Amino acid sequence: MEADICIVGAGAAGISIALEFLNTGYKVILLEGGGFEYDDRVQELYSGKTTGQPYYPIKSSELHYFGGTTGHWGGMCSLFDPIAFQKRDWVDKSGWPITQDTLIPYYKRAHINLDIDTYQFDLEYWQRRDPTLLSLPFDDDVIWTKIWKFSPPTRFGTKYKDTIVNAKNIHLYTYANMVDITANETVTKVNSVTVKNFAGKTHQVNARYFVISCAGIQNARVLLAANKQAPKGLGNDNDLVGKYFMEHIEIKSAELWLKEKSELKLYMFASPRVQGELAIMPKKQAEHEILNGIVSFTPLEIAKKMPSYIQLWSKADPRENEKQVNDALGKIYKNRLARFLESFKSEKSKNAHQAFQMTMRLEQAPNPLSRVTLSTEKDELGVPRAALNWSFTSLEKKSIRKIYEIIGEQAGASGIGRVRFMEELWDEKDQALPTTTSGGWHHMGTTRMNDDPKNGVVDANCKIHGIQNIFIGGSSCFPTGAGVNPTFTIVALSIRLADHLKEILKASGSSLKSTKSV
Ligand SMILES: Cc1cc2nc3c(=O)[nH]c(=O)nc-3n(C[C@H](O)[C@H](O)[C@H](O)COP(=O)(O)OP(=O)(O)OC[C@H]3O[C@@H](n4cnc5c(N)ncnc54)[C@H](O)[C@@H]3O)c2cc1C
């Protein structure tokens, strides 16, 4: 099989790249390990061991079929702020080789793929539309309200299936798991990838350019496993593949007690699907040398009934976990989250609360001990399984405490109420995070982006350093994670990568003729 571009993995990243090549005259092969529906035999290929801070079973933390993990993502979208891209002296290994400005045109295109109704992340815009969306009366130099928008959430496997299947120049192969990557002798160019199915049949796919977009843990795994020519794994000359694995730490860590009951409407799901969360101004982050952390609110009486995600998402089968989460939400919201959300729009007094749970989503500092490696055990197709060690630096707990201190000071100074820390934060010397600490199922950093091959696996165009024609799609390229869910940025970065590929294809001459038999 031969193509101009071979994309491996049809999730948010892979499908976004393929869509950019629709009707371009370039022949694209899209390899997807799963079928169009969930299949536990395929999902089982993801199984692997975890150590360190308790984490979700690897098998159920990403989805292995067409559409990828968008099959059950939540749709929360916001921009990575300018500070997230900057080198911060107090965060080792921080700094992207691109800025927020580089990504803005691509965020604008990505919001269409993700069906976000309006590209507007400006608080004043929403307050002009609805003056009842009041922000908390805090000092603007210290705290600001960050705006979230929501994808419905778009299920890539459902929404884009027909477009991909019917495209003349995109050749989709399902149940085509990539099991190896073969380079030339000097390992400066990839010649082919090998796919294998459960019948043991293998195929070689040759292409001018390859994109690996198998999700944050699997991207590292497939590169490390491609070790017959590069013994440490492809792109791993500097021992960076799999290293610096990052998640978003999600932790219910403090309460806001108000003097007078309030709806905090802006900070709940306000219509039309916009939500505010508290963030710390960049100058204050620098002054206190802390990470990006963003704080959301839930009425305390409701939050207390909801176990943490790490408790609910404990099974290897992702369908069981989804059911556990829905059952837990159902118990609280009488089976319909939507009905609960609706209640916020009616009966004013019922929606006002005295106490709110604050939940923080915190970026993780890059940490060499937090990493994906290969296990000695192999999956059914003969590929070594992934092993994950999730661990933190001292900066995470310090940042959580400091962010709540700042919010507490503001709550006191403005006279609206008080902040109460959870007990696990009381001891300043204790750097451990509680076992109820959850992640957002966001897998970042394992093929980090940096201009210098000694500090990054890929360059600013997501190309693996030292190899001419292989690129990585997805959040594994993020050198740091901001305090924001990753998929909007993954799609933006993927569209940018597609533009870059088009440019180099154009410069390098004619395309292969694409004849497709469906
Ligand atoms: C419960 C849950 C809720 C979430 N909520 C949010 C949210 O609200 N907001 C947000 O931004 N993010 C959210 N996420 C994360 C989001 O789903 C991911 O960031 C996103 O799907 C990642 O896109 P991707 O293309 O990199 O990986 P995926 O979407 O996982 O796609 C990877 C694809 O590669 C295929 N593949 C893997 N290995 C191989 C192989 N060897 N050969 C061939 N194909 C292969 C897989 O089958 C899959 O189709 C959530 C995740 C979960 C689990």
Side-chain angles (χ1 to χ4, degrees):
M1 295 190 280
E2 258 187 46
D4 290 303
I5 298 180
C6 170
I7 303 168
V8 186
I15 290 179
S16 296
I17 296 167
L19 289 174
E20 294 298 312
F21 278 91
L22 273 180
N23 306 320
T24 53
Y26 291 113
K27 180 176 174 186
V28 176
I29 287 182
L30 178 56
L31 301 173
E32 168 50 47
F36 289 119
E37 304 291 335
Y38 181 87
D39 177 337
D40 203 56
R41 193 173 173 192
V42 181
Q43 193 68 35
E44 178 56 29
L45 300 171
Y46 272 4
S47 277
K49 290 215 165 57
T50 60
T51 49
Q53 179 77 21
Y55 194 60
Y56 308 116
I58 299 184
K59 177 177 167 184
S60 61
S61 68
E62 291 167 343
L63 282 180
H64 201 354
Y65 63 100
F66 184 76
T69 317
T70 66
H72 61 199
W73 77 308
M76 287 188 72
C77 294
S78 193
L79 304 175
F80 275 32
D81 301 321
I83 190 175
F85 297 87
Q86 288 159 13
K87 164 105 191 96
R88 289 162 282 162
D89 292 338
W90 63 98
V91 183
D92 191 27
K93 302 272 180 273
S94 60
W96 294 49
I98 57 174
T99 63
Q100 193 208 42
D101 282 346
T102 319
L103 278 192
I104 290 292
Y106 301 100
Y107 276 128
K108 287 184 179 153
R109 286 161 67 182
H111 101 274
I112 296 166
N113 290 29
L114 293 168
D115 305 303
I116 298 171
D117 57 8
T118 324
Y119 182 86
Q120 262 301 348
F121 295 89
D122 182 25
L123 172 65
E124 278 91 50
Y125 170 89
W126 293 105
Q127 289 182 324
R128 275 198 302 277
R129 281 183 63 140
D130 180 353
T132 66
L133 295 179
L134 298 173
S135 27
L136 284 161
F138 295 162
D139 183 345
D140 292 343
D141 289 333
V142 180
I143 293 180
W144 62 292
T145 296
K146 184 166 176 61
I147 290 295
W148 287 84
K149 292 289 296 160
F150 299 88
S151 168
T154 303
R155 307 276 175 229
F156 277 55
T158 312
K159 178 167 182 197
Y160 297 115
K161 179 180 164 190
D162 288 348
T163 310
I164 297 282
V165 168
N166 297 327
K168 286 208 173 66
N169 65 323
I170 297 174
H171 302 246
L172 169 69
Y173 294 84
T174 52
Y175 283 95
N177 267 285
M178 183 185 74
V179 292
D180 203 4
I181 306 172
T182 304
N184 61 358
E185 259 179 46
T186 49
V187 197
T188 50
K189 188 175 179 219
V190 168
N191 291 333
S192 65
V193 296
T194 308
V195 291
K196 191 173 180 182
N197 65 17
F198 287 129
K201 225 173 162 186
T202 60
H203 289 280
Q204 300 289 59
V205 181
N206 303 315
R208 292 156 80 186
Y209 296 95
F210 295 86
V211 180
I212 309 297
S213 47
C214 298
I217 294 176
Q218 303 301 319
N219 279 350
R221 178 189 177 204
V222 297
L223 292 181
L224 291 171
N227 55 12
K228 62 179 188 300
Q229 294 162 303
K232 292 203 284 183
L234 209 65
N236 196 30
D237 292 351
N238 292 303
D239 187 32
L240 290 169
V241 174
K243 211 170 180 177
Y244 302 108
F245 167 86
M246 295 173 296
E247 245 284 9
H248 286 121
I249 294 169
E250 294 202 3
I251 178 170
K252 292 181 191 176
S253 27
E255 296 160 7
L256 175 68
W257 285 80
L258 297 174
K259 256 197 207 123
E260 282 170 27
K261 281 188 172 187
S262 168
E263 286 186 78
L264 292 192
K265 187 175 171 190
L266 170 63
Y267 302 93
M268 300 295 139
F269 291 92
S271 181
R273 297 215 79 194
V274 58
Q275 187 186 333
E277 292 188 0
L278 296 186
I280 306 297
M281 288 299 280
K283 242 170 87 183
K284 287 285 155 190
Q285 288 188 38
E287 185 183 317
H288 296 292
E289 304 197 332
I290 53 175
L291 295 159
N292 278 292
I294 300 180
V295 174
S296 64
F297 297 90
T298 316
L300 191 59
E301 62 195 75
I302 291 165
K304 280 211 180 305
K305 292 184 206 152
M306 182 74 182
S308 68
Y309 282 121
I310 204 80
Q311 292 163 315
L312 288 171
W313 202 276
S314 55
K315 303 271 196 303
D317 186 328
R319 295 165 301 178
E320 287 180 41
N321 293 330
E322 220 175 357
K323 186 172 175 320
Q324 290 204 139
V325 169
N326 288 338
D327 286 352
L329 288 171
K331 271 191 202 125
I332 299 164
Y333 305 136
K334 299 198 188 71
N335 285 326
R336 295 239 46 101
L337 177 60
R339 221 189 295 171
F340 163 74
L341 298 174
E342 198 51 41
S343 75
F344 277 86
K345 293 181 209 150
S346 54
E347 283 187 66
K348 214 173 167 198
S349 58
K350 209 174 103 194
N351 304 326
H353 296 266
Q354 196 101 46
F356 289 84
Q357 175 76 60
M358 292 197 277
T359 303
M360 183 170 312
R361 190 183 311 93
L362 184 82
E363 70 174 323
Q364 202 183 326
N367 174 5
L369 300 177
S370 189
R371 71 188 293 176
V372 174
T373 51
L374 293 184
S375 137
T376 48
E377 206 185 298
K378 292 186 173 169
D379 70 15
E380 192 183 339
L381 299 176
V383 181
R385 292 193 182 281
L388 169 68
N389 184 57
W390 191 30
S391 74
F392 311 123
T393 68
S394 56
L395 202 49
E396 283 80 350
K397 191 129 182 214
K398 172 191 159 179
S399 303
I400 295 169
R401 289 181 55 84
K402 183 49 77 181
I403 290 169
Y404 284 126
E405 260 173 48
I406 294 171
I407 297 174
E409 279 162 20
Q410 290 294 316
S414 60
I416 62 158
R418 296 260 182 223
V419 164
R420 178 181 179 274
F421 284 25
M422 72 192 280
E423 281 173 37
E424 282 89 339
L425 295 179
W426 289 1
D427 181 358
E428 275 183 58
K429 287 192 209 103
D430 178 13
Q431 292 187 358
L433 289 175
T435 50
T436 49
T437 303
S438 301
W441 305 274
H442 309 151
H443 304 144
M444 302 168 284
T446 55
T447 63
R448 61 199 325 274
M449 184 193 280
N450 197 287
D451 284 333
D452 178 358
K454 290 212 167 56
N455 285 315
V457 176
V458 299
D459 65 16
N461 289 317
C462 302
K463 187 185 80 63
I464 296 185
H465 283 293
I467 312 181
Q468 292 163 31
N469 62 339
I470 181 165
F471 296 78
I472 303 290
S475 49
S476 61
C477 297
F478 299 0
T480 50
V484 175
N485 297 23
T487 310
F488 194 20
T489 304
I490 290 175
V491 174
L493 210 51
S494 300
I495 296 173
R496 178 172 174 267
L497 171 54
D499 277 7
H500 177 68
L501 284 166
K502 278 186 212 164
E503 269 171 36
I504 53 178
L505 277 163
K506 201 169 154 197
S508 68
S510 66
S511 61
L512 293 175
K513 281 269 169 294
S514 184
T515 43
K516 180 172 180 178
S517 52
V518 180

